[in-house]
Amino acid sequence: MTSVLTGVTGEIDPRLLEHRRELTGYCYRMLGSSFDADDAVQETMVRAWRSLADFEGRSSLRSWLYRIATNVCLDQLSGRQRRALPMDLSGQSWSPVEASLAATRPAEAWVEPVLDRQVLPEDGDPAERAVAKESVRLAFVAALQHLPPRQRAVLLLRDVLRWHADEVATLLETTVASVNSALQRARATLAGLGGAPEPRPLDADSRDLLERYLDAFERYDIDAFVALLHEDATQHMPPFEMWLGSAADIGTWMLGPGSECRGSRLLQTEANGCPAFAQYRPRAGGGHEPWALHVLEVEDGRIRHITSFLDLDTGLFRRLGLPPALEPEEQPSAGV
């Protein structure tokens, strides 16, 4: 079937497609879900394609697309509960026992991961890319969900995309004074939630740490694995409400309820501006099947936090474009 984004030649209009990645990043920050973001960008493209012939160039094509995308996101957010991470919803950590797996919430309750390659620019100014990486960090995206939708849009357009106040006012069909007021309130709310994350570029030591993480996990050497963590490291595992509050608890978990992960294979990637690993557990009959995407926060030479997004019949790996399985003869490779 021919896409609605194609013309008589059957080719997608390049004027629209060249903005797809940055629009996906914007919609992801607004919605907290890579899958909802994909839907929002598709809807944006459909609306733009239908109106492209009437576009009179009174603003740039990019600004026009952002106006459409913002309206799509605001429509999607109407009446929705905010997405969160388990540590935001639970008042205390869970004991690392099987009973901690009793409480789950549906997929739409959680902030979802996104691969860097889906939302970050491939090249360009290094400083701008660094800002973009920090603005998709899980903690920041979760904090954004506390803001009313229009405040969220204002903060992203002003502080992440660096639009001028008058440009944002035009996009939202409001006044500069209203934009400035919304930005002030949004910044105050984020400051109360811990503020924007600090840049954490990976150096040679960090890359060595990731290699040791992969090696320890695949050998299931839990002593070696725990040695890579800060003592107060944390881990949570959507869709379960549980989270673990120390390296010792994480080690106990892996030797207890998590012991079925023994024999897993890992593929290294990047997600939410951080190093990440796609984990494949042994599959009955041979090979390995998708299990979890681990997004790591590295700080001062050790791992501070692990968010393990489990692929429990959700199609997470498929929808992120990760390999659907590893067959017995396949060898993992970095950079998926």
Side-chain angles (χ1 to χ4, degrees):
M1 184 174 70
T2 303
S3 168
V4 295
L5 302 183
T6 62
V8 294
T9 63
E11 295 181 356
I12 298 175
D13 192 319
R15 292 175 296 172
L16 302 179
L17 280 188
E18 68 181 44
H19 299 284
R20 178 182 281 275
R21 182 178 295 200
E22 66 171 307
L23 287 171
T24 302
Y26 174 66
C27 293
Y28 172 71
R29 297 176 186 97
M30 283 288 292
L31 301 170
S33 163
S34 56
F35 312 127
D36 286 354
D38 285 342
D39 290 343
V41 172
Q42 181 67 10
E43 176 63 21
T44 297
M45 294 294 174
V46 169
R47 294 186 188 183
W49 179 82
R50 289 172 175 167
S51 304
L52 194 57
D54 298 325
F55 178 62
E56 299 177 357
R58 288 174 294 182
S59 63
S60 71
L61 179 64
R62 180 173 180 262
S63 298
W64 182 61
L65 288 172
Y66 267 95
R67 172 183 290 186
I68 297 172
T70 298
N71 288 332
V72 171
C73 289
L74 293 177
D75 289 344
Q76 284 200 19
L77 289 167
S78 179
R80 286 193 183 182
Q81 297 294 317
R82 72 175 177 90
R83 290 178 178 266
L85 294 171
M87 291 174 63
D88 300 325
L89 298 178
S90 176
Q92 59 184 4
S93 59
W94 295 71
S95 299
V97 296
E98 286 81 352
S100 61
L101 296 175
T104 64
R105 297 199 185 197
E108 57 269 20
W110 307 114
V111 169
E112 295 173 341
V114 69
L115 298 187
D116 286 8
R117 69 187 185 206
Q118 297 173 304
V119 295
L120 298 182
E122 293 182 291
D123 47 29
D125 182 80
E128 292 181 2
R129 181 173 171 82
V131 171
K133 284 176 72 74
E134 299 311 309
S135 69
V136 293
R137 291 262 294 275
L138 286 168
F140 184 70
V141 174
L144 286 173
Q145 309 311 303
H146 287 266
L147 301 177
R150 286 178 68 87
Q151 281 188 31
R152 200 178 308 173
V154 167
L155 183 126
L156 290 172
L157 292 166
R158 291 283 284 118
D159 284 359
V160 175
L161 298 175
R162 307 298 185 187
W163 285 35
H164 297 299
D166 58 335
E167 295 174 314
V168 178
T170 298
L171 183 148
L172 293 175
E173 298 181 336
T174 187
T175 64
V176 169
S178 178
V179 166
N180 290 336
S181 176
L183 180 61
Q184 184 177 15
R185 294 195 302 273
R187 285 173 174 170
T189 299
L190 285 187
L193 295 169
E198 293 295 325
R200 296 178 186 172
L202 293 180
D203 54 19
D205 289 341
S206 297
R207 288 188 285 273
D208 177 66
L209 174 69
L210 299 178
E211 291 177 3
R212 288 185 287 140
Y213 181 100
L214 184 152
D215 176 67
F217 199 107
E218 290 195 337
R219 290 188 297 106
Y220 222 69
D221 184 340
I222 302 307
D223 288 339
F225 183 85
V226 170
L228 305 176
L229 311 178
H230 285 280
E231 288 187 8
D232 59 351
T234 55
Q235 181 176 13
H236 50 204
M237 307 176 196
F240 296 105
E241 293 183 10
M242 61 162 288
W243 63 279
L244 305 172
S246 71
D249 278 355
I250 294 171
T252 300
W253 169 266
M254 293 183 70
L255 290 173
S259 61
E260 292 184 12
C261 290
R262 191 184 303 273
S264 292
R265 307 302 302 271
L266 302 183
L267 299 183
Q268 187 171 348
T269 186
E270 294 180 330
N272 291 94
C274 295
F277 290 95
Q279 177 199 347
Y280 294 77
R281 288 208 319 187
R283 180 178 59 192
H288 292 73
E289 60 188 0
W291 181 249
L293 178 69
H294 302 271
V295 182
L296 312 182
E297 294 276 356
V298 177
E299 182 181 311
D300 298 329
R302 291 190 179 186
I303 295 165
R304 171 67 65 191
H305 183 70
I306 306 169
T307 303
S308 300
F309 294 95
L310 304 186
D311 189 346
L312 300 179
D313 300 320
T314 62
L316 174 69
F317 279 42
R318 173 181 54 79
R319 292 189 287 176
L320 289 177
L322 293 167
L326 296 181
E327 300 307 324
E329 67 276 9
E330 288 185 292
Q331 295 296 319
S333 60
V336 298

